[in-house]
Amino acid sequence: MPDSLNRRALLKTSTAALAPLVAAATPGPQPASRPNIVLIISDQFRWDNIGAMGLNPMRFTPHLDRMARRGTLFRSAISNQPVCAPARACIFTGQYPQSHGVWRNGIELPKDAVTLASVLRGAGYTANYVGKWHLAPVTENGPVAPEYRGGFLDLWEAANVLELISHPYEGALFDRDGKPLPFAGLYRESFITSRAVRFLQDPGDAPFLLVVSYLNAHHQNDVDRFMPPRGYEGRFRNPFVPPDLAPLPGSWPSQLGDYYACAANIDDEVGKLLTALQAGGRDRETIVAFVSDHGCHFKTRNTEYKRSPHESSIHVPLVMQGPGFDRSIEIQELVSHVDIAPSLLAAAGITAPAAMEGRSFLPLLDRKIEDWRNEAYVEMSEFVSGRVLRTPEYTYAVAAPKPAGWKAVRTSDVYSEYMVYDLAADPGQHVNLAGRAAIRGVAPQLRERLQQRIAVSGKQKTALNPAPFPYV
């Protein structure tokens, strides 16, 4: 590893990048008419599934690829907490987990949370939701009470923890009155799409926000495998293996083909939604965004599928088209979940509330990059309690001690250097550099920058220790 690592220009942090980070998003120009917004969330969908990323040669995402060619492809979108509930709370609130409070699964979004839905409703939009929610109390596996719907108070056809109360061809969503909407005999994702299309056929006169939240490409929990729809099985019997997975033991040898089939199904469902918008004449007046809550590493990095600082966990797809985004461009700069709500609000000409900690990334589309903080801050919980700084060149992660009888904690007074990866030299993240002489020069800078992010996002001072063994 060359000594020049510690002289890389991208590690030089400007004064602006280290300024206080909590600020209102910059409002965009007032559009002639406010665009509709369709936000599509696919669970556990790897960023490199998308063919337009140029890494997976199997090309099973033609609809998302067309979105990328027409609109804006974000090459470096990051989940601020790579697990279902916290990630979703980051998307909807524009806040980090320490602020919105959903720091692990099983914690509900606060009733008074200010969300993308509540802000848009206050500006005259309707706020509509179809699919998986995962932000209500754990006791609410059936209908979700209105106060736990995060401001989605118009169309509501959802279930809180869909993966625990359904199978691919059997289960139900619940409407705003708590009435079950069963989908026995119909594939779960197809049913979610059909309900969303039903709304798009007659959304009313007001501008609308519609969130369509799919369970695919998440594994089916009770059988611990991926279950694509009939007709998709066997499509990928000899699949391309991403380089981060190939050298590592895990569940991918038996699961990757069915996982790709589930991802291909999601792309087909996206195609149906886009067709419905075109049929209704709303295609050019609607922003469509596709994102995932986290990725999937197939038990190669820990004992399950996510909850790690690796790209396979934190790097997520983000593709957008529609008013303001139809530019046929790719954005290289780092953005994250907390930036999505402020950006959508700015695209609608609405000032984001100051409580939103993310920033609008719309200036990046105009290549106004001078003041952009080109890094992402990530929190981890459940498998480890940790914090991560993701820069264009490095992933720098710290973790709290795990004594005997350890349980996940929201925050810690002390963390130790846990994992460090050089993304240019080791894109598959197979060589952990924590404690190694090769990063002796750069590690203190990364540690200092991460400590500042923790102090701002966690509102606390925390000790970050070097790796607990000498540099070698």
Side-chain angles (χ1 to χ4, degrees), residues 130-444:
V130 179
K132 171 182 171 174
W133 178 235
H134 215 147
L135 287 170
V138 293
T139 55
E140 299 203 19
N141 283 338
V144 174
E147 61 267 28
Y148 290 115
R149 296 178 188 171
F152 291 93
L153 300 179
D154 297 292
L155 175 74
W156 176 266
E157 297 184 350
N160 187 36
V161 191
L162 191 57
E163 60 265 45
L164 300 183
I165 65 166
S166 71
H167 286 101
Y169 286 93
E170 179 185 12
L173 303 178
F174 300 88
D175 68 14
R176 58 182 295 167
D177 298 320
K179 179 182 177 182
L181 301 168
F183 53 84
L186 184 62
Y187 191 67
R188 184 169 42 205
E189 270 57 41
S190 297
F191 179 71
I192 290 171
T193 300
S194 71
R195 303 306 294 184
V197 168
R198 183 172 179 267
F199 169 82
L200 291 173
Q201 290 170 341
D202 186 18
D205 297 327
F208 63 83
L209 165 66
L210 171 65
V211 173
V212 186
S213 179
Y214 294 107
L215 183 56
N216 268 350
H218 197 285
H219 59 286
Q220 181 67 40
N221 289 53
D222 57 343
V223 295
D224 194 28
R225 65 184 181 92
F226 299 89
M227 301 182 69
R230 300 181 188 110
Y232 286 71
E233 308 103 320
R235 282 194 190 181
F236 307 102
R237 293 189 183 278
N238 186 26
F240 165 76
V241 182
D244 64 294
L245 301 179
L248 300 176
S251 61
W252 64 264
S254 63
Q255 292 186 337
L256 189 57
D258 283 342
Y259 173 80
Y260 283 163
C262 288
N265 165 250
I266 286 296
D267 185 78
D268 287 343
E269 302 303 332
V270 169
K272 295 175 188 176
L273 295 173
L274 296 176
T275 298
L277 285 170
Q278 292 168 349
R282 297 181 179 86
D283 176 52
R284 294 292 171 180
E285 61 192 41
T286 302
I287 295 170
V288 180
F290 176 87
V291 71
S292 184
D293 48 359
H294 52 75
C296 184
H297 61 66
F298 298 92
K299 304 183 181 181
T300 57
R301 306 295 185 165
N302 54 37
T303 56
E304 39 103 298
Y305 295 90
K306 56 253 186 186
R307 297 181 178 94
S308 85
H310 301 89
E311 293 292 279
S312 48
S313 285
I314 67 172
H315 197 160
V316 294
L318 179 59
V319 188
M320 304 179 75
Q321 71 171 43
F325 294 94
D326 285 345
R327 305 193 185 203
S328 299
I329 60 173
E330 297 183 357
I331 301 299
Q332 303 289 343
E333 287 78 18
L334 286 152
V335 302
S336 61
H337 279 158
V338 297
D339 301 320
I340 292 174
S343 301
L344 290 174
L345 291 172
I350 300 168
T351 301
M356 288 190 175
E357 297 170 301
R359 295 194 299 172
S360 168
F361 46 59
L362 295 191
L364 298 180
L365 279 62
D366 294 322
R367 305 315 300 143
K368 297 176 181 178
I369 63 175
E370 295 78 12
D371 295 328
W372 186 254
R373 183 181 65 250
N374 198 21
E375 63 186 33
Y377 171 67
V378 180
E379 299 179 11
M380 296 185 296
S381 66
E382 299 185 33
F383 187 80
V384 295
S385 295
R387 302 293 185 262
V388 185
L389 183 75
R390 168 65 158 83
T391 76
E393 292 192 338
Y394 292 98
T395 298
Y396 183 85
V398 299
K402 293 181 78 170
W406 177 88
K407 292 184 179 180
V409 294
R410 180 171 181 171
T411 189
S412 176
D413 294 331
V414 60
Y415 297 93
S416 293
E417 196 172 277
Y418 173 52
M419 292 182 180
V420 186
Y421 293 102
D422 181 336
L423 299 176
D426 180 26
Q429 297 179 304
H430 296 304
V431 181
N432 181 7
L433 298 175
R436 295 178 181 267
I439 60 158
R440 183 179 297 142
V442 74

